[in-house]
């Protein structure tokens, strides 16, 4: 009898713990996060105004859903150990803020850290995981980014499993964003733990540079693309590689922003804008809300693209899309415009991972330029184009 009871208890345990919420993030999450532009300068006014701007700019209609507060929202823990928001910056409290964001038809995200303190020196969740998860659930939080500073000897997989189980037991579906910078190869274990995991250190707001901060390095958009090599087979619906948040609108040229955004779409990356949406240029909005590029990112197959060729600063990337279609991106990494001739008849795309292939000698595809938003012929004629410096030609190939 005792044994049967134990068995029932154990079965219930694994039903409640040891899993993540099903059906969250079937396509890469889309939203906004405060860090890239505002760092620690967050407040409820910023979040409310950003939620308003998400609606008024058309970002919401384009599919952006999450308004995420990054580091530095925290005040102290109360006498029972429950975390309180910084009362100067968030005087109305998090529940009221979540209600406001929800009233706009959007979702709200928050940030914590597996260690004793966050990277910004605020209280971390170590030893308070279940309390924090419960608090977030009570506030109505929909997304948690969980960082990796001040972890003194913790093992990543175990620490993230603890928070996953805490979220699960708090019983509110919360997208779980793992942020340990790829240190312990999260792609090998994080699929069952979270919905997305950072693959690299922080992005730096440049097209092609590297910033050495002494004890850590941050990476330009192109360096991050290079660091994704070999990772595509680990991602798919519900579990995504995260090459970090977007820098579109934060100072790169429009060409560079377009190339950065296009490559994130080719990588089926989470699209988390990181600019000031309250003051956004038409040009930046045109990039962030290009529905045809977004459709590549959000394609239901959820298969990351891959580099097909690389020569003289020109990279050709392909991404299998549903319905037998492909996305193709010709990326010009050089500082000069480049003429590119792509003779379809001599090319054959074979992707062992998706088991898809495109033989252009036997199948003719129609070509759609996703930035010019026009059809530009078919694969029956050689592609002969000039791609501006630090820019892309991004195409959708559909069977004729
Ligand atoms: C780390 C993360 C960043 C950001 C900061 C906040 O560096 O990788 O994305 O969340 O911490 O302090």
């Amino acid at each position: 009898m005792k044994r049967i009871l134990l068995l029932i208890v154990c079965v219930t345990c694994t039903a409640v713990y040891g899993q993540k919420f099903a059906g969250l993030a079937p396509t890469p999450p889309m939203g906004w996060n405060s860090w890239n532009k505002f760092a620690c300068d967050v407040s409820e006014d910023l979040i409310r105004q950003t939620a308003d701007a998400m609606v008024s700019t058309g970002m919401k209609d384009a599919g952006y859903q999450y308004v995420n507060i990054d580091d530095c929202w925290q005040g102290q823990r109360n006498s029972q150990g429950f975390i309180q928001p910084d009362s100067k910056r968030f005087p109305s409290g998090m529940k009221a803020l979540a209600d406001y964001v929800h009233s706009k038809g959007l979702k709200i995200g928050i940030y914590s850290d597996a260690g004793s303190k966050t990277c910004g020196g605020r209280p971390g969740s170590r030893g308070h995981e279940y309390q924090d998860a419960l608090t977030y659930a009570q506030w109505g939080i929909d997304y948690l980014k969980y960082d990796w500073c001040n972890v003194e000897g913790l093992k990543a997989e175990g620490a993230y499993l603890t928070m996953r189980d805490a979220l699960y037991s708090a019983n509110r579906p919360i997208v779980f964003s793992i942020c340990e910078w790829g240190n312990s190869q999260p792609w090998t274990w994080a699929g069952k733990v979270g919905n997305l995991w950072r693959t690299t250190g922080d992005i730096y707001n440049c097209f092609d540079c590297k910033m050495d901060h002494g004890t850590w390095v941050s990476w330009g958009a192109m360096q991050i693309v290079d660091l994704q090599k070999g990772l595509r087979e680990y991602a798919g619906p519900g579990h995504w590689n995260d090459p970090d948040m977007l820098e579109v609108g934060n100072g790169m040229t429009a060409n560079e922003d377009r190339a950065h955004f296009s490559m994130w779409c080719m990588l089926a990356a989470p699209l988390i804008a990181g600019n000031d949406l309250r003051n956004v240029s038409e040009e930046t909005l045109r990039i962030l809300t290009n529905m045809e590029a977004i459709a590549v990112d959000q394609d239901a197959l959820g298969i990351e693209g891959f580099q097909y060729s690389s020569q003289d600063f020109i990279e050709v990337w392909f991404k299998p899309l549903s319905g037998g279609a492909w996305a193709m991106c010709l990326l010009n990494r050089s500082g000069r415009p480049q003429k590119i001739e792509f003779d379809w008849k001599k090319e054959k795309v074979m992707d062992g991972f998706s088991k898809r292939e495109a033989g252009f000698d036997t199948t003719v595809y129609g070509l759609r330029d996703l930035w010019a938003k026009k059809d530009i012929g078919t694969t029956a004629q050689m592609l002969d184009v000039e791609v501006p410096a630090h820019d892309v030609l991004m195409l959708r190939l559909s069977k004729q």
Side-chain angles (χ1 to χ4, degrees):
M1 182 63 186
K2 259 192 194 155
R3 267 199 206 149
I4 294 174
L5 241 170
L6 196 70
L7 191 74
I8 294 171
V9 171
C10 284
V11 169
T12 329
C13 279
T14 38
V16 175
Y17 301 103
Q19 50 182 308
K20 60 181 203 188
F21 294 102
L24 279 185
T27 59
M30 292 175 66
W32 175 90
N33 173 294
S34 52
W35 183 255
N36 283 354
K37 179 72 183 177
F38 299 96
C40 268
D41 195 12
V42 287
S43 66
E44 63 179 44
D45 289 344
L46 172 69
I47 300 305
R48 280 171 193 257
Q49 290 163 10
T50 299
D52 293 348
M54 290 269 277
V55 177
S56 63
T57 56
M59 290 282 286
K60 178 180 174 230
D61 286 343
Y64 295 85
Q65 207 184 0
Y66 294 97
V67 181
N68 293 350
I69 316 167
D70 208 276
D71 205 351
C72 303
W73 61 266
Q74 304 91 337
Q76 295 307 311
R77 293 189 180 278
N78 69 13
S79 58
Q80 292 167 322
F82 287 98
I83 189 73
Q84 313 292 310
D86 179 325
S87 59
K88 285 207 187 71
R89 293 177 170 276
F90 296 88
S92 317
M94 286 300 177
K95 174 78 173 69
L97 189 55
D99 288 348
Y100 185 80
V101 172
H102 290 151
S103 77
K104 300 276 155 184
L106 296 163
K107 296 187 168 175
I108 185 164
I110 214 163
Y111 161 102
S112 191
D113 187 288
S116 52
K117 286 193 169 138
T118 69
C119 301
R122 304 303 195 277
S125 288
R126 187 166 187 178
H128 294 274
E129 293 87 352
Y130 280 72
Q131 263 185 317
D132 285 356
L134 204 59
T135 304
Y136 305 151
Q138 281 165 355
W139 286 343
I141 298 295
D142 305 295
Y143 186 115
L144 172 67
K145 173 175 168 184
Y146 202 51
D147 214 342
W148 193 240
C149 279
N150 306 302
V151 285
E152 298 116 12
L154 276 183
K155 291 236 168 26
E157 183 174 355
Y160 282 95
L161 275 168
T162 302
M163 193 39 130
R164 175 202 68 178
D165 290 350
L167 291 173
Y168 200 77
S169 70
N171 207 22
R172 178 180 171 88
I174 291 182
V175 170
F176 191 28
S177 157
I178 293 171
C179 179
E180 58 76 82
W181 318 308
N183 287 0
S184 63
Q185 305 194 307
W187 43 89
T188 61
W189 52 262
K192 63 181 191 307
V193 183
N195 301 104
L196 58 158
W197 53 85
R198 283 274 296 278
T199 54
T200 69
D202 289 2
I203 193 167
Y204 191 73
N205 184 22
C206 69
F207 185 70
D208 200 355
C209 77
K210 178 170 131 179
M211 178 50 94
D212 195 338
H213 304 268
T215 51
W216 57 288
V217 174
S218 49
W219 311 95
M222 291 300 106
Q223 277 67 27
I224 290 202
V225 168
D226 292 339
L227 289 165
Q228 306 312 305
K229 219 174 230 153
L231 303 187
R232 67 188 287 256
E233 302 188 8
Y234 297 97
H239 54 281
W240 306 101
N241 286 314
D242 175 9
D244 205 0
M245 304 173 292
L246 297 165
E247 290 284 11
V248 174
N250 281 344
M252 281 188 264
T253 67
N255 305 63
E256 292 171 340
D257 273 351
R258 188 161 41 239
H260 163 35
F261 190 78
S262 302
M263 288 309 300
W264 262 234
C265 293
M266 293 300 286
L267 291 168
L271 297 178
I272 309 291
N275 57 320
D276 186 350
L277 290 177
R278 303 164 310 171
N279 298 298
V280 58
S281 70
E282 283 299 316
E283 190 141 61
T284 294
L285 264 187
R286 256 200 305 278
I287 295 171
L288 287 173
T289 62
N290 180 337
M291 295 306 290
E292 299 191 43
I294 291 172
V296 170
D297 180 80
Q298 296 288 303
D299 183 80
L301 282 184
I303 297 176
E304 267 188 41
F306 58 93
Q307 192 191 80
Y308 171 76
S309 64
S310 171
Q311 209 185 1
D312 302 333
F313 302 106
I314 301 296
E315 293 180 10
V316 179
W317 287 69
F318 280 93
K319 179 182 195 283
L321 302 178
S322 41
W326 292 86
M328 178 187 187
C329 194
L330 296 112
L331 169 67
N332 177 8
R333 292 177 67 146
S334 81
R336 296 202 180 139
Q338 299 283 343
K339 279 194 138 312
I340 304 172
E341 289 180 351
F342 194 84
D343 190 356
W344 302 99
K345 295 211 171 60
K346 293 190 187 140
E347 312 286 343
K348 190 173 182 81
V349 180
M350 292 205 279
D351 177 20
F353 174 52
S354 66
K355 303 192 175 53
R356 289 267 305 271
E357 59 176 71
F360 302 109
D361 48 348
T362 49
T363 313
V364 175
Y365 291 81
L367 300 176
R368 175 136 180 110
D369 179 333
L370 301 188
W371 288 107
K373 298 188 179 164
K374 60 177 197 215
D375 298 331
I376 58 158
T378 72
T379 54
Q381 297 90 37
M382 186 159 90
L383 186 68
D384 184 358
V385 288
E386 186 172 281
V387 180
H390 292 181
D391 206 339
V392 289
L393 175 71
M394 191 181 188
L395 301 172
R396 184 185 179 93
L397 279 56
S398 313
K399 277 187 190 162
Q400 289 289 87

